């Protein structure tokens, strides 16, 4: 619908000086090409979000464990991954790990997913930890008074409340992860950005149109997430602390 | 394990020689973002709905799309845009790209600082008949700025970690150096590890410093949760 | 004489360098109603929190139904109790908190049902049935599906009581359960406690500042002062006829 309105004749016959900025008729050509990368972008996003959240919970809970070794080790993981850049980690996994251990990590798709998941897992583990600590102390005490085990307290009382607090930040990080997926182009995955770059290298004059369209793709993917965050914010305001 | 200390020390001087560019780019884009952040705040405060609304969405657009693509846009596409376009060297492109991307975050920080100033303070300064200039410089900003300092510091660290993105358009910082060493001698492990270590050495102590600063600020201004929520992660 | 259900033997408790309790000896008999009064900071809350296993005594023993609460036998030696031991012993104890501590993510009914189902492994239908009965008893039969934040303070506290009661404790602890309430809501909560007390079979420890209520309900009143039990006796002995000066000046503040 959007594209059709753009293809109206009066749009196309803009004064020629505008034509170079965004080549309207080029959009129709470029669009299907970029679509071919959509699957990779979205699948990398979904997988790294899944493993990233998983990692966040594992690391966040380990940080709260009574076992000091586990706590220190997890702390080390978190600081290393938060202290260096995603792009460095990605290259490290891609170039250095095979050299270090003489093993291949499997497909590049997996390398991208692992890098993003480990990086964002480290950041988000702090949210998990913070939210769990933020659940009122009285909640644990009430659960203890009902003779719940420490596992039951966590599962039935603490986590359901903590997760609500995590939602908005988790949503924000989902948008960050979407942006991060563009890096997988650098390790040879054929995502949206990859196809954009192919088009650009074929014909440099198309570059503005192509990159704007690529950005638009990402933005359209981000839009539902932006609204999701707003929704999550309103949910998390409800249902915590009595 | 194929770790070689020889390679490590061979690569170290080369990789470290990129540090100047990496830090220079961090500072330049940060300054750009600090200044441009004000532009966003100013534009958003224009009391004409269509403008403030459009500005809000432009900010949202820049913030929620990948800075890597934005860098490519500025570096590859900008030169071929007729009339306004011009060819920019990689460093300048990166300053504009990263600076612009981060300015949208910085703008939000400024806004939260300004909105954090108690409403009564505005009313008081109006009641005392301050001029617009005095109102801002004597009443609002002195209160709005200090609580934002830790957040701004945080974004400096985050930006620092985004800077290696610029190696993709040919800015020869530490990552670029490591890559060129790698491709030359087919040894990526050690140079990339050096890059990681350099980042860690520089960013970890700064992060600790910032969180100390933040704690002290929070004690002084008694605004705990509200502002520390920007212990945010990355921006890529 | 009946065996006490709970015994405190020379209990001491310090927080850091601050000695809060300096030797508490106390017997609670089955079905006995005990009111604990005393100035703020005298350690009333601390006493019942130690019984609820929310606070560890610094020294001394607490015996519940003949079993040492905070210590257990291991290889012939008494060692600090682990979580499993605590769970076995504290099953007979319930508590109502000053600030309700309802679970905000659950409805009223779920608040009551969750422990019977998960802790006592009761059948879900049965737990539901009993929870509804209990909520009806505290006058909230029409609020089953409401969330805690939709209730008034008095209603919340009544839910908290129902939640504790469905666990059928042998002994219930009440920590100033009315002091976070607006004055006009105090009555409805005391009314419920009075009803429970009349049923009789459960022992109760009530930390309270409501002297008339203590007179009415309690078999025994303890006056806690500076970390020791300074006066102990029937309600009328302690509240109406005591010669202890500090107790009188304490009571005076509630009589004006
Ligand atoms: N977790 C804790 N850490 C340090 N000190 C504590 C802690 N809990 C209680 N205290 C101190 O122990 C003393 C007794 O506290 P407690 O809550 O038992 O008093 P209380 O008699 O219930 O007072 P109130 O009538 O105000 O509720 C107080 O001085 C309090 O400051
Ligand atoms: Mg108390």
């Amino acid at each position: 619908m959007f594209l059709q309105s753009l293809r109206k004749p009066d749009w196309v016959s803009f004064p020629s000086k505008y034509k170079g900025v965004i080549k309207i008729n080029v959009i129709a050509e470029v669009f299907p090409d970029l679509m071919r990368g959509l699957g990779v972008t979205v699948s990398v996003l979904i997988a790294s979000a899944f493993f990233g959240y998983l990692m966040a919970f594992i690391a966040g809970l380990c940080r709260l464990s009574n076992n000091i070794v586990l706590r220190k080790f997890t702390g080390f993981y978190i600081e290393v991954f938060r202290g260096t850049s995603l792009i460095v980690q990605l290259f490290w996994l891609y170039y250095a790990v095979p050299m270090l251990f003489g093993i291949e990590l499997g497909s590049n798709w997996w390398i991208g997913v692992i890098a993003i998941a480990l990086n964002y897992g480290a950041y988000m583990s702090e949210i998990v930890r913070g939210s769990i600590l933020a659940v009122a102390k009285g909640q644990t005490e009430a659960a203890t008074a009902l003779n719940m085990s420490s596992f039951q307290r966590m599962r039935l009382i603490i986590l359901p409340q903590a997760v609500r607090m995590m939602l908005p930040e988790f949503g924000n990080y989902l948008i960050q992860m979407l942006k991060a997926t563009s890096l997988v182009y650098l390790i040879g995955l054929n995502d949206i950005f990859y196809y954009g770059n192919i088009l650009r290298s074929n014909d440099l004059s198309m570059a503005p149109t192509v990159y704007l369209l690529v950005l638009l793709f990402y933005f359209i993917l981000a839009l539902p997430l932006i609204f999701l965050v707003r929704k999550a914010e309103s949910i998390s305001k409800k249902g915590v602390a009595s | 394990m194929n770790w070689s200390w020889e390679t490590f020390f061979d690569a170290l001087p080369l990789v470290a020689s990129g540090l100047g560019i990496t830090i220079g780019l961090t500072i330049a884009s940060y300054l750009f973002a600090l200044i441009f952040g004000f532009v966003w705040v100013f534009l958003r405060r224009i009391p004409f709905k269509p403008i403030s609304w459009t500005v809000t969405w432009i900010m949202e657009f820049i913030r929620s799309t990948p800075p890597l693509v934005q860098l490519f846009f500025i570096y590859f596409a900008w030169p071929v845009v007729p009339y306004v376009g011009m060819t920019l060297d990689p460093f300048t492109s990166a300053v504009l790209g990263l600076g612009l991307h981060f300015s949208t975050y910085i703008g939000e920080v400024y806004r939260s600082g300004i909105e954090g100033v108690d409403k009564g303070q505005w009313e008081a300064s109006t009641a005392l008949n301050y001029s617009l200039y005095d109102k801002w410089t004597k009443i609002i900003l002195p209160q709005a700025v200090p609580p934002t300092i830790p957040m701004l510091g945080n974004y400096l660290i985050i930006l620092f970690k985004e800077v290696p993105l610029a190696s993709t358009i040919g800015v020869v910082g530490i990552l670029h150096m490591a890559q060129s060493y790698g491709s030359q001698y087919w040894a990526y492990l050690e140079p990339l590890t050096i890059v990681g270590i350099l980042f860690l050495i520089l960013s970890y102590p700064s992060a600790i410093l910032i969180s100390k600063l933040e704690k002290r600020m929070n004690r002084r201004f008694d605004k705990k949760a509200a502002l520390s929520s920007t212990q945010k992660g990355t921006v890529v | 004489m009946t065996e006490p259900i709970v015994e405190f033997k020379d209990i001491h408790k310090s927080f850091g360098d601050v000695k809060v309790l300096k030797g508490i000896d106390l017997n609670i008999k089955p079905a006995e109603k005990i009111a604990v009064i005393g100035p703020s900071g005298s350690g009333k809350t601390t006493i019942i929190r130690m019984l609820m296993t929310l606070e560890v005594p610094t020294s001394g023993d607490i015996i519940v139904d003949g079993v040492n609460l905070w210590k257990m036998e291991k290889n012939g030696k008494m060692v600090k109790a682990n979580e499993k031991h605590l769970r076995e012993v504290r099953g007979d104890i319930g508590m109502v908190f000053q600030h309700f501590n309802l679970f905000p993510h659950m409805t009223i009914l779920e608040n009551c049902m969750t422990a019977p189902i998960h802790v006592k492994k009761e059948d879900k239908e049965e737990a539901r049935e009993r929870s509804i009965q209990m909520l009806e008893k505290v006058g909230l039969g029409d609020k089953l599906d409401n969330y805690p934040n939709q209730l008034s303070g008095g209603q919340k506290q009544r839910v908290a009581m129902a939640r504790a009661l469905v666990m059928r404790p042998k002994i219930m602890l009440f920590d100033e359960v009315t002091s976070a309430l607006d004055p006009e809501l105090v009555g409805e909560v005391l009314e419920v406690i009075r009803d429970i007390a009349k049923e009789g079979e459960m022992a109760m420890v009530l930390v309270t500042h409501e002297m008339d209520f203590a007179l009415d309900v309690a078999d025994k009143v303890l006056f806690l002062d500076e970390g020791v039990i300074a006066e102990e006796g029937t309600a009328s002995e302690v509240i109406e006829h005591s010669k202890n000066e500090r107790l009188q000046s304490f009571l005076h503040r509630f009589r004006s």
Side-chain angles (χ1 to χ4, degrees), chain B residues 105-124:
Chain B
Y105 288 90
I106 301 285
E108 284 299 313
V109 173
Y110 291 156
R111 193 170 69 109
S112 77
I114 293 169
E115 284 177 0
V117 175
D118 193 52
K119 210 164 144 246
Q121 298 291 318
W122 294 85
E123 288 165 359

Side-chain angles (χ1 to χ4, degrees), chain C residues 4-185:
Chain C
I5 183 174
V6 171
E7 284 176 85
F8 278 61
K9 291 182 174 169
D10 197 27
I11 287 289
H12 289 254
K13 174 70 186 174
S14 315
F15 291 105
D17 294 336
V18 186
K19 288 194 174 120
V20 176
L21 296 176
K22 306 164 187 165
I24 299 290
D25 288 283
L26 170 64
N27 285 346
I28 305 171
K29 297 196 202 86
E32 191 174 26
K33 319 290 183 246
I34 298 181
V36 182
I37 60 173
S40 182
S42 58
K44 306 182 294 293
T45 300
T46 308
I47 286 186
I48 59 176
R49 281 173 61 84
M50 285 188 303
L51 184 51
M52 193 65 261
T53 73
L54 299 175
E55 213 83 74
V56 196
T58 311
S59 71
D61 292 305
I62 299 176
I63 314 290
V64 178
D65 242 350
V67 183
N68 198 319
L69 178 61
W70 281 106
K71 293 172 190 163
M72 61 181 197
E73 208 181 303
K74 198 176 167 191
N75 306 329
K77 271 189 269 177
M78 294 303 269
V79 295
K80 193 170 173 287
N82 61 14
E83 172 84 13
K84 186 166 163 279
H85 177 87
L86 290 178
R87 277 198 86 195
E88 278 163 18
V89 185
R90 73 172 165 229
D92 286 339
I93 310 169
M95 180 162 175
V96 184
F97 298 84
Q98 184 172 357
H99 295 286
F100 330 128
N101 297 351
L102 293 182
F103 305 133
H105 59 298
M106 297 180 183
T107 64
I108 306 304
L109 184 57
E110 287 163 350
N111 260 279
C112 294
M113 280 166 59
T114 180
I117 292 173
H118 292 102
V119 177
K120 292 209 153 171
K121 311 289 177 204
E122 259 178 46
D123 174 62
K124 210 171 170 179
E125 266 320 300
E126 190 196 328
R128 186 189 175 78
E129 203 62 30
R130 293 204 309 112
S131 300
I132 293 175
Q133 267 174 19
M134 201 55 82
L135 283 165
E136 276 167 356
K137 193 163 142 188
V138 300
L140 291 167
D142 56 336
K143 302 266 188 217
L144 300 179
D145 295 325
N146 285 49
Y147 282 87
N149 63 5
Q150 298 166 312
L151 303 184
S152 74
Q155 291 171 327
K156 281 182 199 169
Q157 198 58 295
R158 284 186 277 148
V159 174
M161 274 188 263
R163 182 176 71 176
L165 286 170
V166 283
M167 292 296 280
R168 298 195 172 115
K170 288 191 193 151
I171 169 161
M172 269 273 265
L173 313 173
F174 297 81
D175 187 13
E176 296 191 37
V177 294
T178 56
S179 58
L181 301 180
D182 293 336
E184 72 271 19
L185 300 176

